[in-house]
Amino acid sequence: MKRRYHIPRAAERLIRSICKSDYTEEIIGDLYEYHDEITGKPRWKRGVYFWFHVFNFIKPWSIKSFEGTQNLNHYGMFKNYFKTSYRSLRKNALFSFINVVGLAISMSIGILMILVISELNSFDSMHTKADRIYRVAGNKFMYGQEIDIPMASHYIGLEMEHQTPGIEEVLIMRDGVDVDLRTEAGAINIKGFYTTESFFDIFSFELLKGNPETALLEPNGVVLTQSTARKIFGDKDPLGEPLEMESTGGWQVRNIVGIVTGVMADLPSNSHLQFEVLVSMETYDQPAISGTGWHKGYKSVHFWKSTHVYVLLDKETTPLAIENSMAEILRDYNAEQEHPVTYTLQSMKDFVTSDKLGNRVGPRFSRKQLGIMIGLTIVVLISACFNYTNLSLARALRRAKEVGIRKVSGARRHQVFTQFIVESILLSLISLILAIGLFLLIKPAFINLPNPASSGHDMFLLNIGALQIVYFVTFAIVLGVIAGILPSVFLSKLNTTIVLKDAGTIKPLAGISLRRILTVLQFALSIGLIMSAVMVNKQYQFAVNFDMGFNTERIINIKVKGDYASKLEATLQRIPEVEQTSISLMTMATGQAELARVESEDKEHKGRIFWNSIDEKYLSMHNFELVAGRGFESPLQGQTLGNQVILNEHILQSLQLGSPEEAIGKFITIHGYARGKYQVIGVVENFVNTSLNAGHDSDIMKEKNFGFIQGMPGFSNGQIGVKFRSDNLVDLVQKLETAYLEFDQKHPFEAEFYNDQIAETYRAQKTTVTLISFLAFLAISISMLGLLGMAVYITESKMKEISIRKVLGAGFVNLMTLLSRGFAFMIIIAAFIAIPITKYILDDKILGQFNYRPETNLMDLLSGFLIVLLIGFFTVTWQIRQAAIRNPSDLLRNE
Amino acid sequence: MGKDHIGELEELVLLLIVMLKEDAYGLAIRRTLKEQVGRLITIGAIHGTLNRLEKKGFAGSSYSQATEVRGGRSKRIFTITVSGRKALQKSRDVKVNLWMQIPELALK
């Protein structure tokens, strides 16, 4: 007999590997028999039939489940963990709810932070050579102190290009393209840089049209971003089109007769460099038509204002070697300098996030800023974790029996531990879903918060991608482990026999001291955050409502971009609602400032001074208080710059000019743009010019010295202040605009209320206030949820005690005192911890650096404590009331 | 559709189990189904149905002696249970009852 009843080995193996072991015997047996049955058929048919049946055995009922043979224990155990966790969460709905809500609230902030961090990390990642791109940063001696700025001289760039080995490309860029263009859709403003031709060699920005090699080579070559090109030219192909621009950037006006040589893709929001237009550096060689910003010697070693130098190193060169070469280039120059210049290289990954150097060409988000935000987020997260830990520990008693039974049935300690960790991870994953929902709610608000450092650019998109989801889940799991670790350790440690013999013998509130510590810490965090919110808000309100020392009410400032200021002023004065007008260079007290060095006549006393150029009507219109002397009396005749100055009282001290009366008639020398010798004709009372909140790293911005001069030395920019008496503002602004358009159709009409401009100056601080208040609100909601949970638990477990006390005659007030004493005590301890620490950090370290400060009073210090106490009191009372008003007989009847 | 519901193929297979007695195993049932009813079904489908019947408690099974033709494997012989019997009877009764109510059809 032929041994024909052998089925293919592969079939047998397949069935064995896929099907449940219970079935394989029968299946393979049947397959043998079937194989035998079809032997009469042609060979190929046999194969097809047989395999058809083999594959037909792969059905849901036959396939091994994942709990399959070998890993049965692990999988089964986790399945069991999930099941018990789910049941336990459902059974304690209130506790689960409190935990889920608390965790979700804090996690939504965590999600926000994860996205912010991951987007910050993605900055400039589109450049393929990013790891070799560096920016030259220098230390500049300005106004009597050294300042690190991310700029360098054109000179050093050229020198490096010519003689430094190890550098593949050098890119030099200059600020100063700022153009108003009339298009069919209305006037638009485009800003950008002059740049050398290596731009597209260093950066990986895509040039959609035009040749990247030559686009920025010739004079007047202009590269537009795609959306700008569309705004200007519509659907027409912009390549080769002429573009006449009058650029007013950088204290100068120059006519650029540009030719569009390229269109590049719009800049992604995560680029450190933001602009609408690039103009070839050769264009800058043509002199400006007015303004002092252009120097024939802009390529000289001294001149490095507004110049950005980027280098692309080759693969073998270290930044240190280049820094040494730069020092070498400057050695002769530095030898003669009182303050030698040192250039360093800043790596591309630090462009946006550096603490030391700002980013002048796009958004900035310093690591310090990020650190503070992460810190606050962690505070809120910890608070939510504490809730979980606290509530789980408090409920330990109820779960003790479960643990006992598990252990008796053979569970090891680590298995019980895993079970509780799984439970908290499950909870945290549920919260994650809610948290993502919450995050989507707060996302628009966060994106719209003015970020002072991003200089008007949208830094963050906060989009959620697949990678981010992975981050979120990891984050949720980590958070679950952190929240669950303490209760898990505690519960898994329980002694089986004791638990099962008599549950009463384990301390009902085991871990009580740990729990108290956590609760106190949680309260302390809430108190601290509320205090911070109150104090930062106070500083903000203080700044906005501060008496500047001059009048800003009912004044509109109109920007003037041309030499028509006096003609426009005459027209404006004919509008009936206009009470008074005056021309000045800058808007005071809004952070606009021109700083200069100043000397007394004998050159013995030196100082720094902020100055503004004004006309003869300015002081009276803004109600500056003259202490001595007089204001400017008549318009300047024939000359562009007056030789008289009006000082404030601060500078009299710096230059030792004596009393206001004595100072009149003395001479001082001002350097910088308005250089010259001036005679003091008046002294005004001190007022606030520099931002009230200037602080942190800029001593310069705290300078309170101030002087007014008359006339505008070479500037055609300025503003007209209009004091009005009308209440019909819409009508007024329309009339002003009509007048403006008579003289200037090229530039958009820009007018703002003075008070709005001042409020705008403090917008950055408003952001801080909003953020801190929001976080304080979250922290307090979370800790109150926790408090509610604890109150529910304690009153529940003391129900009998309450009833007996009631029977014995205790009143509602007695019960209240008895039950809320513990909470009040914890809040008081928390206050003792939180108040001094917050005061130290906020009052002495952060706000203490501000230029002008309100006094911190007792109410500010106690604010957090009182609010927490009040809310805590209401939460506890509400709970205890439930217990206290119940009829004791209902509870005690069954005893 | 509760657990006691019985499907059409299930009913056929259950009837065949009763019919084949000691020889009621997967391949034999398939063969009989083909010969008697004229339906060709894959062996996998028969096994699925048998397992389902066992799960529902309509059939039980035991392993027989190994045979050489099966490569040394034993057969899994199915037998009907009491609830299987009841289910068959119920299914028949329901149909008979319905037939009785439509005499014009029953006459044909």
Side-chain angles (χ1 to χ4, degrees):
Chain A
M1 197 179 185
K2 271 190 280 175
R3 297 187 56 208
R4 52 190 176 183
Y5 32 76
H6 254 287
I7 64 167
R9 279 254 175 89
E12 200 173 326
R13 221 176 295 147
L14 182 76
I15 294 291
R16 278 194 192 284
S17 65
I18 289 181
C19 296
K20 281 182 187 156
S21 56
D22 297 3
Y23 298 142
T24 44
E25 171 96 3
E26 182 197 3
I27 292 173
I28 292 171
D30 272 8
L31 282 173
Y32 264 96
E33 222 174 297
Y34 178 70
H35 197 254
D36 198 45
E37 199 180 289
I38 55 172
T39 36
K41 310 210 181 228
R43 203 186 150 87
W44 68 269
K45 247 187 186 172
R46 233 160 45 203
V48 171
Y49 277 27
F50 181 75
W51 279 104
F52 171 70
H53 282 288
V54 169
F55 284 113
N56 238 291
F57 272 112
I58 306 170
K59 291 261 175 68
W61 59 266
S62 65
I63 293 174
K64 277 181 195 167
S65 72
F66 294 108
E67 13 187 335
T69 46
Q70 281 122 359
N71 296 325
L72 183 97
N73 283 329
H74 256 75
Y75 172 83
M77 212 163 67
F78 271 99
K79 197 171 148 187
N80 179 276
Y81 290 163
F82 274 109
K83 204 176 261 174
T84 0
S85 304
Y86 171 71
R87 285 176 184 163
S88 135
L89 293 178
R90 243 182 61 166
K91 200 170 137 199
N92 302 296
L94 176 69
F95 291 98
S96 310
F97 172 78
I98 288 176
N99 282 323
V100 167
V101 171
L103 277 174
I105 291 176
S106 63
M107 278 167 95
S108 61
I109 302 293
I111 287 176
L112 177 72
M113 281 321 298
I114 291 177
L115 289 179
V116 165
I117 293 171
S118 80
E119 282 191 15
L120 274 181
N121 273 336
S122 79
F123 256 86
D124 294 318
S125 56
M126 61 288 216
H127 301 299
T128 49
K129 301 166 191 163
D131 54 330
R132 293 188 284 135
I133 299 175
Y134 290 85
R135 181 159 66 188
V136 184
N139 64 323
K140 198 168 170 66
F141 191 82
M142 287 196 303
Y143 317 117
Q145 74 178 81
E146 263 187 24
I147 304 165
D148 291 308
I149 49 173
M151 294 190 195
S153 61
H154 199 111
Y155 171 83
I156 194 83
L158 289 179
E159 289 298 311
M160 277 198 285
E161 197 167 13
H162 294 142
Q163 50 165 290
T164 309
I167 292 183
E168 267 181 32
E169 297 282 352
V170 172
L171 166 67
I172 306 172
M173 284 171 44
R174 288 192 60 82
D175 294 344
V177 182
D178 184 348
V179 181
D180 287 320
L181 278 177
R182 283 254 157 222
T183 65
E184 280 163 31
I188 61 163
N189 175 274
I190 57 175
K191 289 195 176 67
F193 303 96
Y194 298 100
T195 169
T196 53
E197 72 277 8
S198 51
F199 187 87
F200 292 104
D201 297 330
I202 292 193
F203 299 125
S204 309
F205 292 126
E206 192 191 351
L207 197 62
L208 300 173
K209 285 177 185 157
N211 181 352
E213 298 293 319
T214 56
L216 293 164
L217 198 59
E218 302 290 320
N220 298 324
V222 171
V223 172
L224 298 168
T225 61
Q226 197 177 20
S227 57
T228 315
R230 192 168 300 132
K231 270 187 217 153
I232 300 172
F233 296 105
D235 295 330
K236 206 162 61 171
D237 182 10
L239 221 56
E241 289 291 323
L243 189 64
E244 283 189 31
M245 308 186 282
E246 190 190 83
S247 169
T248 54
W251 293 124
Q252 61 182 335
V253 178
R254 58 172 60 239
N255 281 328
I256 300 170
V257 192
I259 292 168
V260 180
T261 51
V263 177
M264 61 183 289
D266 280 340
L267 294 166
S269 64
N270 60 352
S271 161
H272 83 283
L273 196 59
Q274 296 289 341
F275 56 83
E276 282 100 21
V277 59
L278 293 173
V279 179
S280 72
M281 183 61 91
E282 296 292 314
T283 319
Y284 195 75
D285 271 335
Q286 304 157 13
I289 51 174
S290 76
T292 56
W294 187 82
H295 287 236
K296 276 228 160 54
Y298 76 92
K299 287 180 180 167
S300 83
V301 63
H302 316 279
F303 194 85
W304 52 319
K305 191 176 164 69
S306 318
T307 311
H308 315 278
V309 179
Y310 293 83
V311 289
L312 177 68
L313 305 191
D314 63 22
K315 288 187 177 106
E316 283 82 39
T317 314
T318 63
L320 193 68
I322 302 299
E323 286 173 2
N324 290 337
S325 324
M326 289 192 289
E328 192 59 32
I329 293 170
L330 291 177
R331 199 172 56 181
D332 293 344
Y333 169 73
N334 274 341
E336 297 162 13
Q337 300 296 313
E338 197 182 334
H339 302 285
V341 175
T342 325
Y343 286 126
T344 51
L345 289 187
Q346 185 190 17
S347 127
M348 189 164 217
K349 62 178 191 298
D350 288 340
F351 285 178
V352 174
T353 55
S354 168
D355 285 333
K356 201 173 99 182
L357 296 162
N359 181 27
R360 309 230 173 173
V361 292
R364 180 188 186 195
F365 201 93
S366 69
R367 272 185 218 108
K368 198 169 150 190
Q369 226 175 334
L370 186 67
I372 292 175
M373 277 183 72
I374 292 179
L376 288 170
T377 309
I378 288 178
V379 166
V380 175
L381 282 173
I382 284 182
S383 203
C385 285
F386 282 1
N387 265 3
Y388 184 83
T389 309
N390 269 344
L391 293 179
S392 310
L393 281 178
R395 283 182 311 148
L397 183 63
R398 297 187 183 184
R399 306 286 301 267
K401 280 228 171 70
E402 180 192 331
V403 174
I405 298 286
R406 267 177 194 280
K407 283 197 166 175
V408 164
S409 338
R412 299 278 186 79
R413 185 175 166 186
H414 76 263
Q415 287 166 324
V416 176
F417 178 82
T418 318
Q419 185 210 331
F420 285 103
I421 286 284
V422 166
E423 191 173 317
S424 71
I425 290 177
L426 189 70
L427 193 90
S428 147
L429 286 173
I430 296 173
S431 314
L432 178 67
I433 298 168
L434 193 61
I436 292 178
L438 282 177
F439 163 74
L440 293 177
L441 285 180
I442 58 171
K443 176 179 156 180
F446 178 80
I447 289 183
N448 291 334
L449 273 182
N451 174 2
S454 78
S455 31
H457 306 292
D458 296 329
M459 282 190 87
F460 297 115
L461 300 171
L462 303 183
N463 290 333
I464 301 177
L467 184 65
Q468 279 76 15
I469 296 279
V470 174
Y471 291 156
F472 294 167
V473 172
T474 319
F475 165 68
I477 290 175
V478 170
L479 202 67
V481 171
I482 294 175
I485 195 141
L486 277 175
S488 307
V489 167
F490 175 76
L491 283 165
S492 63
K493 187 165 77 171
L494 288 177
N495 188 323
T496 321
T497 35
I498 296 182
V499 170
L500 290 181
K501 203 174 82 195
D502 182 6
T505 54
I506 54 165
K507 290 185 199 94
L509 294 173
I512 192 152
S513 52
L514 175 70
R515 266 197 6 248
R516 282 215 175 118
I517 293 171
L518 293 184
T519 315
V520 165
L521 281 180
Q522 204 179 24
F523 282 136
L525 292 177
S526 304
I527 293 177
L529 275 174
I530 295 174
M531 266 176 74
S532 313
V534 167
M535 284 164 77
V536 173
N537 186 44
K538 190 173 176 184
Q539 175 79 28
Y540 168 70
Q541 296 295 343
F542 173 77
V544 172
N545 302 325
F546 192 74
D547 178 12
M548 301 281 168
F550 58 96
N551 173 43
T552 56
E553 295 292 325
R554 304 181 83 83
I555 292 177
I556 294 182
N557 290 320
I558 303 171
K559 277 228 170 81
V560 176
K561 292 176 178 177
D563 46 10
Y564 50 81
S566 47
K567 283 183 251 167
L568 173 60
E569 190 186 15
T571 315
L572 290 177
Q573 277 167 348
R574 283 198 290 275
I575 298 173
E577 290 92 337
V578 171
E579 198 176 298
Q580 232 180 335
T581 58
S582 85
I583 302 176
S584 63
L585 182 62
M586 283 166 288
T587 318
M588 313 265 295
T590 57
Q592 292 183 24
E594 199 57 44
L595 192 65
R597 281 184 296 121
V598 63
E599 287 170 355
S600 59
E601 197 180 6
D602 51 13
K603 298 196 196 297
E604 277 196 8
H605 304 287
K606 294 182 185 183
R608 294 178 297 212
I609 189 171
F610 278 112
W611 58 267
N612 189 7
S613 166
I614 57 169
D615 67 2
E616 70 283 357
K617 290 158 292 184
Y618 191 86
L619 292 185
S620 60
M621 186 171 106
H622 294 87
N623 296 350
F624 282 93
E625 233 17 86
L626 270 172
V627 187
R630 57 187 174 84
F632 300 121
E633 271 160 359
S634 53
L636 284 178
Q637 299 294 340
Q639 67 208 93
T640 51
L641 182 62
N643 50 14
Q644 294 173 326
V645 67
I646 297 167
L647 300 177
N648 70 354
E649 289 167 308
H650 281 301
I651 190 153
L652 299 188
Q653 287 160 16
S654 318
L655 297 185
Q656 308 214 338
L657 297 176
S659 73
E661 285 75 19
E662 286 162 14
I664 304 295
K666 287 188 178 165
F667 286 90
I668 61 166
T669 311
I670 295 178
H671 298 268
Y673 285 131
R675 58 182 76 87
K677 202 171 177 188
Y678 293 86
Q679 186 176 25
V680 181
I681 58 162
V683 176
V684 289
E685 207 169 65
N686 281 333
F687 56 90
V688 178
N689 174 57
T690 49
S691 168
L692 284 165
N693 296 330
H696 307 299
D697 30 45
S698 60
D699 270 351
I700 286 179
M701 293 313 286
K702 286 185 181 175
E703 187 58 69
K704 293 175 182 173
N705 293 342
F706 204 93
F708 290 106
I709 58 172
Q710 201 180 8
M712 291 191 223
F715 299 131
S716 56
N717 289 339
Q719 59 164 24
I720 299 181
V722 175
K723 194 170 187 182
F724 56 89
R725 51 183 149 237
S726 158
D727 282 324
N728 186 351
L729 300 179
V730 180
D731 189 43
L732 173 71
V733 172
Q734 259 168 10
K735 282 180 183 166
L736 295 178
E737 184 166 6
T738 318
Y740 176 86
L741 287 175
E742 267 182 52
F743 298 95
D744 194 339
Q745 292 88 38
K746 210 188 285 170
H747 306 110
F749 174 68
E750 288 175 59
E752 270 182 285
F753 291 97
Y754 208 151
N755 283 348
D756 291 351
Q757 286 177 304
I758 288 175
E760 184 77 359
T761 314
Y762 298 100
R763 219 167 56 144
Q765 211 168 11
K766 183 123 196 256
T767 303
T768 320
V769 173
T770 320
L771 274 181
I772 295 190
S773 320
F774 182 59
L775 287 174
F777 170 73
L778 292 188
I780 195 169
S781 328
I782 292 168
S783 52
M784 284 314 137
L785 276 175
L787 184 62
L788 177 70
M790 287 307 291
V792 170
Y793 174 76
I794 294 203
T795 37
E796 252 176 35
S797 56
K798 286 191 176 176
M799 223 42 151
K800 287 216 176 79
E801 185 191 330
I802 295 172
S803 306
I804 292 172
R805 280 179 190 275
K806 265 186 100 170
V807 170
L808 294 179
F812 180 70
V813 179
N814 294 22
L815 289 175
M816 278 298 308
T817 343
L818 182 81
L819 290 170
S820 54
R821 211 163 40 194
F823 290 118
F825 183 64
M826 282 196 281
I827 294 180
I828 290 171
I829 294 190
F832 273 110
I833 300 172
I835 292 178
I837 296 178
T838 317
K839 177 168 163 29
Y840 174 73
I841 295 177
L842 210 66
D843 215 18
D844 301 348
K845 287 276 150 193
I846 299 175
L847 297 177
Q849 294 176 345
F850 284 135
N851 216 354
Y852 299 85
R853 285 226 51 207
E855 283 297 308
T856 306
N857 60 28
L858 191 65
M859 208 48 218
D860 301 329
L861 294 181
L862 291 182
S863 55
F865 169 63
L866 291 177
I867 292 175
V868 169
L869 192 65
L870 197 71
I871 300 181
F873 179 74
F874 276 117
T875 319
V876 175
T877 315
W878 177 67
Q879 228 348 275
I880 292 174
R881 198 177 157 272
Q882 306 279 320
I885 55 173
R886 280 182 68 177
N887 188 344
S889 64
D890 288 345
L891 284 161
L892 294 175
R893 193 165 41 196
N894 297 330
E895 290 298 307
Chain B
M1 278 219 248
K3 269 214 163 156
D4 54 342
H5 172 83
I6 186 165
E8 192 252 352
L9 183 62
E10 284 172 10
E11 191 180 353
L12 285 174
V13 170
L14 206 54
L15 282 169
L16 289 176
I17 288 175
V18 182
M19 203 175 97
L20 290 169
K21 293 192 185 84
E22 258 80 85
D23 205 24
Y25 69 99
L27 205 65
I29 293 173
R30 174 174 182 270
R31 209 178 296 133
T32 329
L33 198 67
K34 185 179 159 192
E35 286 161 7
Q36 303 258 344
V37 191
R39 274 170 68 169
L40 191 57
I41 292 171
T42 63
I43 320 174
I46 295 288
H47 280 227
T49 313
L50 285 170
N51 286 326
R52 207 156 55 238
L53 283 171
E54 193 174 14
K55 220 175 180 178
K56 287 180 177 178
F58 295 151
S61 70
S62 59
Y63 286 95
S64 76
Q65 288 286 312
T67 58
E68 204 193 344
V69 72
R70 291 172 65 85
R73 322 282 153 167
S74 47
K75 291 174 186 169
R76 191 169 166 209
I77 306 292
F78 286 83
T79 47
I80 192 162
T81 61
V82 180
S83 62
R85 235 172 254 285
K86 275 185 188 155
L88 277 180
Q89 277 163 5
K90 192 181 161 203
S91 166
R92 189 199 54 201
D93 291 349
V94 165
K95 281 173 193 151
V96 169
N97 186 17
L98 286 174
W99 278 104
M100 298 301 272
Q101 290 177 42
I102 28 176
E104 66 270 27
L105 217 65
L107 280 175
K108 276 182 188 173

